[in-house]
Amino acid sequence: MTVERVDTFYDLDSIYSTIERMLVLIRQLSGVSRLGENGRSLSFELQWINAIDERKYQVDELRCSVQYLFAQFRKIYLVNKDLYAQLNKRGGRVFELDKQIEAQGDIKCLYFLADAIKYEPALLAMQRVLDRTMREIRIFRNQRNQHKLELCVGHIRCESYDKVYDEYCSFESGLQQLPHIVEAVFERDMRNLLKILLFLTGYRKLNKANSSETFVAGCELLLQQMRQSHELFEHPLSLLLYGFVVDALQERPELSLASKMKDVFRERLEIVRAELVGCIQRTVRRIQSSPQEMAPLARLFHHLEEEILIELLKRAYEGDVRHLQNILQFVAHLSRIDHDIVSYRVLYMQMEHYDHVLQPEIFLLGYRIKQTMQDAGFATASLRSDLERLKASLPAVVVSILWSTATVSRHESRILLKFSALGKDVGFSRYIADKNRVEFEPLEEGSCFRIRATAINGFLGESGTGLPMLAPKSESLSNAKFRWKLIPVDGCEYFRVQNYASGALLYSQIPCDESEYDFYSSKEVLQLTGSERTLTAQNSYWKIVEYARGSRGGRGSGGVGEAECRIL
C-alpha cells in the first residue's frame, strides 16, 4: 500500500507578490468601473481602446489569484496554524471575491467591481502580517546559516568531512556560503590549504547537482586568496592546488560523473591551472637548491598524482648528477614507501640515460635503496619487487660495498690490506682471513664511508703524518679524518680512496720496480698523499670485492676453520 505524500510546501515570497498584483488589479478595476457607474454608457474613446476586453482579462487574472491564494492558505493551515490564523483574521474576507465574480458572471462584468476597492485594507493587512513573518524568517535563516557556516568551518578544521558534506548540502545556497567557508578556514595560512582541497575534492566526488561548480568556485577562491600575497603564491604548498586541479581535469569519465563537467566549468578550471603552472618550475628549483624547505610538501605528496612526482624528479635531475643528493633529500621526506620506490626507479633511469651510473653518486642512490629496504613498512609495500629488481640492477661492487663485508686489494696484485690491531700500521697479506675483512659504513647519506676492520672493530683514519691509522669507534664518530670517499675508476672496476677531510688519496709505497717486486722481501707501506705525481694505477687503484671465506662451520664438518686462511 502506497501513501500519497501531501504537498505542504508554501512560498511566502510568491504569496506576497500575488497579493501585490491583486492590489493593482482591484485598483484598476475600481477605477474603470466608476467611468460607467449608475448605468451610464462608456465614452467612445474608452470603447476604442478595448477597455471592456482588457477588463475581462483583469477579472480572470484576479479570480485566478484568489484561487491560488486560497490553495496556499490551505497549505499554511497544515504547517503553520498560527500564521494561518493571523492571515485569515486580517484578510480572510478577500476570498469572497471568488464567489462574487462567479455569481455576477459576464452580464455585469463591466460594472459589478465598482466596490472592489473595499478589499484593499484586507490585502494590506495580510501584507503587513507577511512582512513581519518574512522578516522573522530572514532573521532565523541568517542565524541558522551563520550556525551552519560555523559548523562547516569547524568540521573542515577538524577534518570531519562527512559532517561537512551534510551541513553544506543543507544550505539553501551553498555556493553563496562558499567564499565565507574558504576565507574562514584558509586564514592566509598555507597549512590550511590541504583541508579545503580535501573538502572540495570529496564533495566533487559525491556527484551532487552543484558538486562541479563548488569545486571550480572553491579553487578560484583559493587562487584569489593566494594571489593577495606574493609569499603565499610562491609558497611550496601551492603545488597542492595545482595537483588537485590537474587531477580533476584528467579524471576518466567512467570513474566519476563529476568529471563530465560543463564546458564552462572546465574552461574556468583550465584558467586556474594555467595560472598555477609556474609553480612546477619553482618547486624544481627549490628541490635542487634547498630540499629541506620542500619537506612539508613531500610529506603531503600522497594526495597528488604519481605523474606530478615523476615530472618533478625528471626536471630536477636535469642531466646533472650533482643534483642527485638534494633530490634524494627531498625524496626522503615522502610519506609512502611506494613513492620512494617510484622515485628511485625514475632517478636510476635518468642516471642510465645520461651515463651516470658509474659516478660516485651511485652510492647515494644505493644507500637510499638500502635504507628503504630496511624500513619496517617495506614488507607491505606494493612495489617492493620493483625495488629488489632495482637493487639487482646496481653495479655488483656497489651492492657488495653497501650490503656486505668486503676485502680491499691493490690493483691487480691480489695483495690485500690487513688490519692487525688498534694503534698499529695497516699491513698487507696474500691470503684471505678475518683481518682482511672490512665494512663500509655509509655517512652523509652515502657520500662518504667509515671503513671498519671487523676483526678488531677499528676504524681507518688519517693520522696527520701522512700515514693512515686505526682507532676505536669513540675517536672516529665526529672526526672527519675517519671518513673516506670512494671514487670509481674504469667503470667501478677499481676505486681511489680519498680522505673526506683532507682530500689526500690512499696509496701503497712500493720500494722497488714492479718487475723486481717480491711480496715477502719487499715491504710495502700504506700512505696518504695529496700529490697526483706519485700516483699510478698500480699503487693507488684499489679493487673491492665481497668477502669470500669458506663455510665457518665446525672443523669436524670438513670446512675451513675459524683460524684458518685461504692462500690466494
Side-chain angles (χ1 to χ4, degrees):
M1 177 179 178
T2 59
V3 178
E4 183 178 354
R5 182 178 180 273
V6 178
D7 182 14
T8 58
F9 177 77
Y10 59 87
D11 187 352
L12 292 181
D13 291 323
S14 178
I15 295 172
Y16 192 89
S17 61
T18 301
I19 293 175
E20 282 188 328
R21 180 59 184 164
M22 290 174 66
L23 283 169
V24 172
L25 289 171
I26 64 173
R27 287 165 183 164
Q28 290 176 346
L29 289 167
S30 298
V32 172
S33 63
R34 291 191 185 100
L35 293 175
E37 62 188 1
N38 299 323
R40 293 194 298 270
S41 61
L42 292 171
S43 65
F44 175 79
E45 290 82 2
L46 190 59
Q47 295 178 33
W48 182 74
I49 64 173
N50 276 331
I52 296 176
D53 290 339
E54 183 181 356
R55 181 183 178 84
K56 185 177 186 305
Y57 298 142
Q58 290 173 338
V59 171
D60 291 340
E61 184 180 357
L62 180 61
R63 187 176 185 185
C64 290
S65 298
V66 173
Q67 292 173 349
Y68 170 78
L69 202 60
F70 183 74
Q72 291 294 303
F73 267 48
R74 292 183 63 183
K75 293 182 179 181
I76 293 173
Y77 175 78
L78 294 172
V79 177
N80 191 341
K81 288 182 173 56
D82 181 58
L83 176 59
Y84 170 79
Q86 294 183 54
L87 290 171
N88 192 51
K89 179 181 178 181
R90 289 166 176 79
R93 64 190 300 252
V94 171
F95 300 117
E96 297 172 3
L97 272 170
D98 185 40
K99 297 178 182 178
Q100 186 177 349
I101 294 172
E102 185 177 0
Q104 296 291 341
D106 296 334
I107 301 172
K108 298 180 180 180
C109 68
L110 187 61
Y111 305 108
F112 77 89
L113 286 178
D115 61 345
I117 198 68
K118 69 181 180 182
Y119 296 107
E120 183 180 41
L123 290 170
L124 291 174
M126 282 198 293
Q127 270 194 324
R128 287 193 295 271
V129 172
L130 289 175
D131 275 331
R132 184 173 64 251
T133 303
M134 291 170 69
R135 184 167 60 251
E136 292 172 354
I137 290 174
R138 278 194 297 270
I139 293 172
F140 170 74
R141 284 176 177 173
N142 289 338
Q143 291 175 343
R144 185 186 64 177
N145 286 340
Q146 182 62 31
H147 178 62
K148 285 184 173 294
L149 178 63
E150 292 172 358
L151 286 176
C152 281
V153 171
H155 290 326
I156 293 175
R157 286 174 177 166
C158 297
E159 301 182 27
S160 302
Y161 295 110
D162 290 337
K163 296 179 181 179
V164 181
Y165 304 146
D166 294 338
E167 295 294 344
Y168 185 79
C169 290
S170 65
F171 275 121
E172 293 179 11
S173 179
L175 287 169
Q176 292 180 3
Q177 302 297 329
L178 189 59
H180 304 298
I181 294 173
V182 170
E183 185 176 358
V185 177
F186 186 60
E187 292 182 327
R188 298 172 65 83
D189 188 344
M190 293 298 284
R191 290 174 297 182
N192 297 325
L193 176 63
L194 180 64
K195 296 179 181 180
I196 304 174
L197 288 173
L198 289 176
F199 157 65
L200 294 174
T201 300
Y203 190 72
R204 173 175 65 86
K205 293 179 179 179
L206 289 179
N207 300 322
K208 301 289 185 182
N210 62 344
S211 287
S212 295
E213 188 173 3
T214 296
F215 180 80
V216 174
C219 291
E220 290 173 337
L221 289 168
L222 285 172
L223 182 59
Q224 291 174 11
Q225 291 280 327
M226 290 163 57
R227 279 205 166 279
Q228 292 176 7
S229 167
H230 178 75
E231 181 181 355
L232 292 178
F233 192 68
E234 299 282 331
H235 197 278
L237 292 181
S238 62
L239 187 70
L240 290 174
L241 179 55
Y242 174 84
F244 276 78
V245 169
V246 169
D247 180 35
L249 289 170
Q250 293 181 348
E251 189 174 37
R252 290 179 295 173
E254 63 268 19
L255 294 180
S256 171
L257 293 175
S259 63
K260 299 177 180 179
M261 297 180 185
K262 294 180 180 178
D263 289 341
V264 63
F265 296 154
R266 184 169 291 277
E267 289 173 4
R268 286 165 57 186
L269 211 55
E270 284 286 359
I271 293 173
V272 175
R273 187 196 65 80
E275 290 279 344
L276 292 167
V277 73
C279 68
I280 288 284
Q281 195 58 29
R282 288 196 299 271
T283 303
V284 166
R285 295 303 174 208
R286 283 180 174 150
I287 291 174
Q288 292 174 338
S289 59
S290 50
Q292 295 304 325
E293 292 181 8
M294 305 305 295
L297 174 65
R299 296 188 191 102
L300 301 176
F301 230 97
H302 56 277
H303 294 290
L304 301 180
E305 289 297 312
E306 193 176 285
E307 289 74 14
I308 295 178
L309 176 61
I310 294 173
E311 182 181 359
L312 284 178
L313 295 175
K314 287 182 177 180
R315 289 197 185 188
Y317 192 80
E318 228 173 24
D320 191 344
V321 74
R322 291 174 296 180
H323 294 150
L324 182 63
Q325 186 166 10
N326 283 346
I327 296 173
L328 289 172
Q329 288 179 10
F330 167 75
V331 171
H333 293 289
L334 293 175
S335 58
R336 288 185 177 172
I337 288 184
D338 284 338
H339 277 171
D340 292 353
I341 296 172
V342 169
S343 302
Y344 303 151
R345 190 171 58 199
V346 171
L347 291 171
Y348 185 75
M349 290 172 63
Q350 291 294 299
M351 295 183 78
E352 275 191 324
H353 178 73
Y354 292 103
D355 199 20
H356 293 160
V357 173
L358 302 181
Q359 297 289 328
E361 286 75 11
I362 190 63
F363 288 111
L364 301 175
L365 181 59
Y367 170 75
R368 287 301 313 163
I369 292 174
K370 179 181 179 182
Q371 291 295 103
T372 301
M373 296 182 81
Q374 292 175 343
D375 192 280
F378 177 68
T380 59
S382 58
L383 298 179
R384 61 183 180 276
S385 58
D386 288 11
L387 193 61
E388 290 167 354
R389 284 193 294 269
L390 185 57
K391 174 189 172 183
S393 300
L394 294 173
V397 66
V398 173
V399 175
S400 297
I401 290 171
L402 290 172
W403 272 269
S404 307
T405 56
T407 57
V408 182
S409 60
R410 177 171 58 80
H411 200 230
E412 296 179 352
S413 65
R414 304 177 74 183
I415 297 175
L416 306 169
L417 293 182
K418 179 182 177 182
F419 305 91
S420 300
L422 296 177
K424 290 188 177 182
D425 294 338
V426 180
F428 295 88
S429 67
R430 298 199 65 175
Y431 53 86
I432 295 177
D434 280 345
K435 291 185 178 181
N436 302 117
R437 184 168 55 156
V438 294
E439 183 178 321
F440 292 88
E441 297 182 359
L443 299 171
E444 303 286 342
E445 299 175 346
S447 59
C448 62
F449 298 86
R450 277 190 309 196
I451 302 177
R452 183 175 76 92
T454 57
I456 60 173
N457 198 28
F459 292 84
L460 184 66
E462 183 181 12
S463 64
T465 61
L467 295 173
M469 66 175 181
L470 290 171
K473 184 176 183 178
S474 57
E475 293 185 26
S476 66
L477 287 177
S478 58
N479 194 337
K481 292 183 177 181
F482 286 85
R483 300 182 180 186
W484 304 88
K485 187 174 181 180
L486 301 180
I487 304 172
V489 180
D490 293 344
C492 286
E493 182 72 18
Y494 305 102
F495 292 88
R496 278 186 161 183
V497 182
Q498 184 180 43
N499 190 267
Y500 196 68
S502 65
L505 292 165
L506 199 66
Y507 80 105
S508 174
Q509 187 179 37
I510 304 173
C512 59
D513 293 335
E514 186 67 25
S515 59
E516 301 174 358
Y517 177 78
D518 178 67
F519 174 76
Y520 296 102
S521 60
S522 303
K523 183 175 176 58
E524 292 188 42
V525 180
L526 191 65
Q527 292 189 335
L528 288 160
T529 181
S531 173
E532 292 276 348
R533 291 178 297 176
T534 58
L535 301 179
T536 63
Q538 191 66 27
N539 66 11
S540 65
Y541 285 12
W542 303 94
K543 190 176 184 66
I544 301 175
V545 296
E546 186 175 349
Y547 179 73
R549 281 289 302 273
S551 171
R552 296 179 61 178
R555 287 184 175 86
S557 61
V560 180
E562 179 68 29
E564 293 183 88
C565 59
R566 182 159 60 88
I567 302 297
L568 294 173

